[in-house]
Amino acid sequence: MGSCKGEEQQQQHRHSEANCVLVQGPIIVGAGPSGLATSACLKQQGVPSLILEKSVCIASLWQHRTYDRLKLHLPKQFCQLPLLGFPQNFPKYPTKHQFISYMESYASHFSIQPRFNQAVTSAEFDHVMGLWRVKAQDSEYISRWLIVATGENAEPVVPYIPGIHTFGGPVVHTSLYKSGSEFKNQRVLVIGCGNSGMEVCLDLCRYNAIPHMVVKNTVHVLPREMLGFSTFGIAMALLKWLPLKLVDKLLLLISNFTLGNTDEIGLRRPKTGPIELKNVTGKTPVLDVGALAQIKSGKIKVMEGVKEITRNGAKFMNGQEKEIDSIILATGYKSNVPSWLKGCDFFTKDGMPKTPFPNGWKAEKGLYTVGFTRRGLLGTASDAVKIATDIGEQWRTI
């Protein structure tokens, strides 16, 4: 990297307090798994890179916005990053803390040193210079390549719910939830029934709380393992030989045999199969780790959609009313790309690439995206390798 010289007087004045830095390789926005994987793959290609990270650490979502009992939902072989796998002694489903230690070892192994406290406020292609201008907290960075690695889960989704501001108890998003110990013996309304909603309910049960889980839409619940093997692993193996719709039918057949008919306990399945639904909408099936048994026993109450929150509780679409002590929003996350990437129509208003998988990793003018495949860390690894190979070829011709 070197200082960017020869700017107009006015621009020099504007940046008098902030350096304008010319980056020799790509600028990567985000030091989560996506940014780290891409940086490592670039390094293998002999290409330097600079990671800008708004937080004070790598994998900040994992470090600061996850609950204590979180484990990877998929076996570790489907979650490892390119060029360096998980340690042999890690369990099949690593814990949150094990995954963080893996990320830290990964960064250390490849000598990746992000610039922390560098929240990107804007990034725009300068057509005159033919380069990307990235403005962060302290500096402006300029590069031929920009890699968006902020991912699908950059910001919590907090939906509007009528009356929620009148509620007398605490309202927290799962990004701030750590443990059910904070809700001991309480009646807790959990809004959302994805993997996070189910696991939070399970965690609450362990502390004698009474979770009321709101199920607004249809949801696929699958056992995490079938016949001693990972459900995801079985699906990936079958997809090599069988059509997607047939694989979906087989998964549902085994699920109904092992879990029973989930419609009977208020968890209606979508008409579209679980893998097809994931590919089309990004909606992940729930992999059950024990919540279903608690629903069947009555310890987790399944509720219909919320009509209104009151000072002491909630009114539901079916006319029921319940007194509630606390509310937890298990309403997921969203991309934040539209808030800072300017003058680019490659992304939708929701901050996802318009080009579908597997070709959403590359745009025009040296713009790339990693971690937006809706296919978890497996998709991230695939993107990182493709991006590094593509930029590596350009680097060698330059």
Side-chain angles (χ1 to χ4, degrees):
M1 290 182 293
S3 287
C4 180
K5 307 287 186 185
E7 296 274 16
E8 293 176 24
Q9 289 294 320
Q10 188 181 359
Q11 207 152 4
Q12 281 183 344
H13 176 71
R14 198 184 311 148
H15 295 294
S16 59
E17 305 224 1
N19 295 326
C20 180
V21 181
L22 178 64
V23 180
Q24 298 300 333
I27 295 170
I28 301 171
V29 183
S34 298
L36 297 178
T38 309
S39 180
C41 291
L42 284 165
K43 189 157 282 195
Q44 191 199 32
Q45 294 280 340
V47 182
S49 62
L50 174 68
I51 300 180
L52 301 178
E53 168 56 44
K54 68 178 179 181
S55 184
V56 295
C57 62
I58 63 165
S60 62
L61 178 73
W62 283 84
Q63 301 222 42
H64 300 310
R65 294 186 180 181
T66 48
Y67 39 94
D68 293 343
R69 75 178 301 273
L70 178 66
K71 290 184 178 180
L72 294 183
H73 291 112
L74 305 180
K76 60 185 177 183
Q77 68 264 32
F78 297 113
C79 301
Q80 60 193 22
L81 300 184
L83 310 175
L84 184 69
F86 282 96
Q88 289 285 329
N89 63 338
F90 272 29
K92 188 176 184 180
Y93 299 97
T95 66
K96 157 189 169 173
H97 300 292
Q98 287 170 326
F99 185 73
I100 292 167
S101 77
Y102 167 61
M103 289 285 98
E104 288 172 340
S105 299
Y106 191 88
S108 175
H109 181 83
F110 294 104
S111 302
I112 299 168
Q113 297 176 317
R115 287 203 176 176
F116 297 115
N117 287 315
Q118 291 296 305
V120 170
T121 54
S122 73
E124 194 163 9
F125 188 74
D126 187 318
H127 292 272
V128 176
M129 295 176 69
L131 301 170
W132 286 92
R133 307 181 75 99
V134 180
K135 293 180 182 175
Q137 266 162 272
D138 304 336
S139 308
E140 182 173 24
Y141 301 89
I142 296 175
S143 172
R144 183 174 179 145
W145 303 278
L146 175 64
I147 300 170
V148 179
T150 47
E152 305 156 356
N153 301 320
E155 303 289 341
V157 171
V158 180
Y160 169 72
I161 302 166
I164 198 155
H165 297 300
T166 67
F167 183 65
V171 179
V172 297
H173 189 271
T174 46
S175 58
L176 298 173
Y177 176 93
K178 294 300 175 192
S179 165
S181 60
E182 302 163 42
F183 302 90
K184 207 171 278 187
N185 301 318
Q186 290 189 23
R187 295 160 297 187
V188 184
L189 185 67
V190 178
I191 298 178
C193 62
N195 279 301
S196 292
M198 291 274 194
E199 284 207 34
V200 164
C201 286
L202 186 60
D203 194 43
L204 289 166
C205 287
R206 294 179 176 176
Y207 292 92
N208 221 30
I210 306 168
H212 294 66
M213 183 174 68
V214 175
V215 181
K216 187 179 175 184
N217 301 309
T218 55
V219 59
H220 276 300
V221 183
L222 306 176
R224 185 166 69 171
E225 296 197 339
M226 295 178 171
L227 312 170
F229 297 96
S230 151
T231 299
F232 183 79
I234 291 171
M236 291 299 99
L238 290 174
L239 283 169
K240 291 177 182 176
W241 307 100
L242 300 173
L244 186 146
K245 285 184 185 292
L246 182 56
V247 174
D248 268 342
K249 282 183 179 175
L250 288 170
L251 290 179
L252 291 176
L253 194 69
I254 300 171
S255 291
N256 287 334
F257 178 74
T258 55
L259 301 177
N261 184 357
T262 59
D263 286 33
E264 294 173 358
I265 53 172
L267 303 173
R268 293 176 296 111
R269 288 195 185 277
K271 289 178 179 165
T272 309
I275 301 173
E276 186 181 356
L277 191 70
K278 169 76 171 162
N279 289 352
V280 172
T281 68
K283 190 175 180 183
T284 306
V286 172
L287 295 176
D288 180 51
V289 292
L292 224 56
Q294 301 288 21
I295 293 170
K296 289 174 182 174
S297 72
K299 288 183 179 177
I300 297 173
K301 318 284 183 188
V302 173
M303 311 300 296
E304 284 195 21
V306 174
K307 184 178 181 182
E308 180 188 2
I309 301 294
T310 63
R311 176 161 177 75
N312 300 313
K315 295 178 181 177
F316 298 91
M317 293 298 186
N318 61 0
Q320 275 190 298
E321 286 188 44
K322 295 279 183 182
E323 286 193 4
I324 298 294
D325 299 306
S326 298
I327 297 174
I328 296 172
L329 302 173
T331 43
Y333 295 85
K334 63 181 178 181
S335 163
N336 68 2
V337 175
S339 69
W340 58 269
L341 186 62
K342 309 299 180 186
C344 172
D345 64 355
F346 184 71
F347 285 85
T348 66
K349 66 180 189 321
D350 296 324
M352 297 295 288
K354 288 179 182 176
T355 308
F357 178 84
N359 301 312
W361 59 276
K362 185 178 182 181
E364 296 176 335
K365 305 183 181 75
L367 178 67
Y368 298 85
T369 78
V370 56
F372 293 87
T373 63
R374 291 181 164 141
R375 283 160 176 76
L377 292 164
L378 210 55
T380 287
S382 167
D383 279 353
V385 171
K386 289 176 185 173
I387 291 167
T389 303
D390 195 65
I391 293 177
E393 287 170 3
Q394 296 172 53
W395 180 265
R396 285 185 285 278
T397 59
I398 295 167

